[in-house]
Amino acid sequence: VLRPALSRSEAVLAEDCVRLFIAIASERESVGLSDALRVRRALAHRLFLGDHSFSNLSETLSRRVTEHESFRRTLREVAVYLPPDASVGHGRYRVRPEAWAEFDPFYQHYSHADAHKAMDNFRTHMGNS
């Protein structure tokens, strides 16, 4: 007997389960990464969601990340600074194209919506490369 297709809620639950198994299998954050690499990973993955002002990065990333001695240097390595213009009254940071090589679509700190947004941004980046 064939079962009908999954309902929307079953499909979302199945996707969440698969994401959990992948996160457990691939999570490197707790094992083997230096603090500086954790800062880089957190910063790059925040920027994969889109451009951010320095104050927004400081508010949305953990203090462990923003207060680390390598934070500002790492920000310069993974992002370019875009000065204020007429449409945006503050400067912002945009992820460097070469930083996309570090993109992990299963980054455990993404919400479901953030994971989809980051993946959409990744696809856009790959289409423009």
Side-chain angles (χ1 to χ4, degrees):
V1 175
L2 292 176
R3 182 168 188 250
L6 295 176
S7 70
R8 172 119 172 91
S9 61
E10 289 172 325
V12 169
L13 181 61
E15 181 181 345
D16 287 346
C17 286
V18 169
R19 288 181 57 81
L20 175 63
F21 291 136
I22 291 170
I24 290 169
S26 65
E27 181 50 42
R28 300 170 293 198
E29 195 126 341
S30 301
V31 182
L33 280 186
S34 68
D35 287 344
L37 286 176
R38 287 181 194 177
V39 167
R40 184 180 184 91
R41 187 168 161 81
L43 187 52
H45 280 82
R46 175 57 52 191
L47 290 164
F48 293 146
L49 296 172
D51 298 349
H52 291 278
S53 66
F54 185 86
S55 61
N56 183 264
L57 288 170
S58 298
E59 292 168 6
T60 57
L61 293 168
S62 73
R63 289 179 65 200
R64 179 177 57 105
V65 170
T66 60
E67 293 179 359
H68 193 273
E69 63 187 22
S70 69
F71 177 73
R72 289 180 185 264
R73 176 181 44 82
T74 303
L75 180 58
R76 288 189 303 272
E77 291 172 1
V78 300
V80 293
Y81 178 73
L82 305 172
D85 59 26
S87 64
V88 180
H90 53 78
R92 57 199 190 285
Y93 290 89
R94 176 173 293 161
V95 68
R96 290 180 185 272
E98 58 270 20
W100 281 103
E102 300 172 40
F103 177 62
D104 177 1
F106 301 105
Y107 182 61
Q108 79 168 15
H109 300 290
Y110 279 154
S111 68
H112 190 74
D114 284 350
H116 283 281
K117 180 171 177 54
M119 194 65 200
D120 288 345
N121 291 345
F122 178 70
R123 286 186 189 113
T124 299
H125 166 73
M126 293 306 291
N128 293 334
S129 294

